[in-house]
Amino acid sequence: MQQELLHYNNKTFIPYIDSGKIISNIDSMALQINKDYAETEIYVLAVLNGAFMFTSDLLKRIHKNVIVNFVKLSSYSGSESTGEVKNILGLPDDIQGKSILILEDIIDTGLTIKSLLNQLEIMGAKKTKVASLFYKPSSSKTGYIPDYIGMEIGDDFIIGYGLDYNGYGRNLESIYKLR
Ligand code: IMP
Ligand code: MG
C-alpha cells in the first residue's frame, strides 16, 4: 500500500484501507450473491460515478447471466451530504417486473439509496436488493441497512477505488481518509 499523504484542494488524505482488503471483501460478497440468487439471471443497476471499480471487480466474480446498466444520481457536493437528491439518469425503461441488484459505492445517510428504491418501486420493479461496498452505520439517518455490505467503516470521509473528493481520487487503488 502506498504510504504517502495525498492533497486535493486544501484537504489532506491519509492511507486507510489497502486494495487487498477491498478485493477480499468483494470476494466474500460475490460468494454470498452467487449462493443467494437462485435465478440464473441477475439484473444489475450500478450507481455512477462511485461504483464503477466495485462494479467491475464484483461482476467478474458473479457466475450468473448478468445484465448491467449504469444510472447516475448525485446528492453530494464537497465532503458533506446535502441530503438533496437529484435526478436519476439512464434508468432503462424495461425494469417493470424485474428483480434488481443495485450496486453502490457507499451508504452514508441512506437518503440517496432510499430515493432510488422509491423510484424503482414506483416504476414497477418487483424486488430490489442493494449491495454497497462501504457502509457508515454511525451516520445512517434513515436506519437503512443494505442487503450486502463489503465493509462497515467509521464516520470518516473516504476517497479512492471509485470514491471522490470534488472529483479527485476515484482512480486510487486503495482507500484514503480525510485527516
Ligand atoms: P447518502 O445519501 O448520504 O447515503 O450518500 C450516498 C452517496 O454520497 C454515495 O453514493 C457517495 O457518492 C457519496 N458519499 C457518501 N459518503 C462518502 C465518502 O465518505 N466519500 C465519498 N463519497 C461519499
Ligand atoms: Mg454514489
Side-chain angles (χ1 to χ4, degrees):
M1 173 165 191
Q2 305 146 283
Q3 287 306 320
E4 78 276 18
L5 302 180
L6 296 177
H7 305 278
Y8 296 114
N9 301 143
N10 55 346
K11 303 270 198 237
T12 301
F13 293 85
I14 58 174
Y16 184 30
I17 302 163
D18 67 48
S19 63
K21 175 95 179 133
I22 298 169
I23 294 298
S24 83
N25 281 301
I26 291 176
D27 273 332
S28 313
M29 190 190 278
L31 218 67
Q32 196 60 48
I33 292 171
N34 282 318
K35 227 194 296 171
D36 289 355
Y37 276 76
E39 302 94 321
T40 52
E41 188 169 294
I42 304 183
Y43 189 96
V44 170
L45 284 184
V47 183
L48 289 174
N49 292 322
F52 79 99
M53 278 201 195
F54 170 47
T55 300
S56 161
D57 282 327
L58 180 76
L59 294 187
K60 280 182 260 183
R61 292 164 173 81
I62 300 296
H63 311 302
K64 306 267 172 183
N65 296 340
V66 172
I67 292 172
V68 59
N69 280 290
F70 291 86
V71 292
K72 186 157 179 147
L73 49 149
S74 163
S75 68
Y76 244 62
S77 132
S79 62
E80 261 179 80
S81 181
T82 57
E84 125 207 358
V85 174
K86 296 179 190 155
N87 293 333
I88 301 166
L89 303 173
L91 202 57
D93 48 23
D94 66 346
I95 64 157
Q96 181 110 27
K98 290 269 186 344
S99 149
I100 296 169
L101 178 64
I102 296 175
L103 303 186
E104 254 289 26
D105 52 357
I106 186 165
I107 291 170
D108 181 4
T109 62
L111 292 169
T112 305
I113 193 68
K114 281 210 140 181
S115 134
L116 178 57
L117 287 169
N118 266 343
Q119 188 84 3
L120 292 176
E121 203 188 317
I122 290 165
M123 295 183 69
K126 195 174 68 184
K127 172 184 90 180
T128 307
K129 285 192 171 187
V130 175
S132 186
L133 180 57
F134 297 104
Y135 176 59
K136 294 184 190 174
S138 59
S139 68
S140 178
K141 262 187 208 156
T142 55
Y144 177 78
I145 303 171
D147 301 271
Y148 301 98
I149 295 171
M151 256 181 115
E152 288 194 5
I153 60 166
D155 195 10
D156 294 299
F157 185 80
I158 61 170
I159 60 166
Y161 198 79
L163 293 102
D164 74 304
Y165 169 65
N166 285 346
Y168 295 106
R170 294 196 197 277
N171 61 312
L172 301 166
E173 208 181 355
S174 59
I175 297 292
Y176 287 70
K177 70 175 173 181
L178 185 62
R179 185 172 68 179

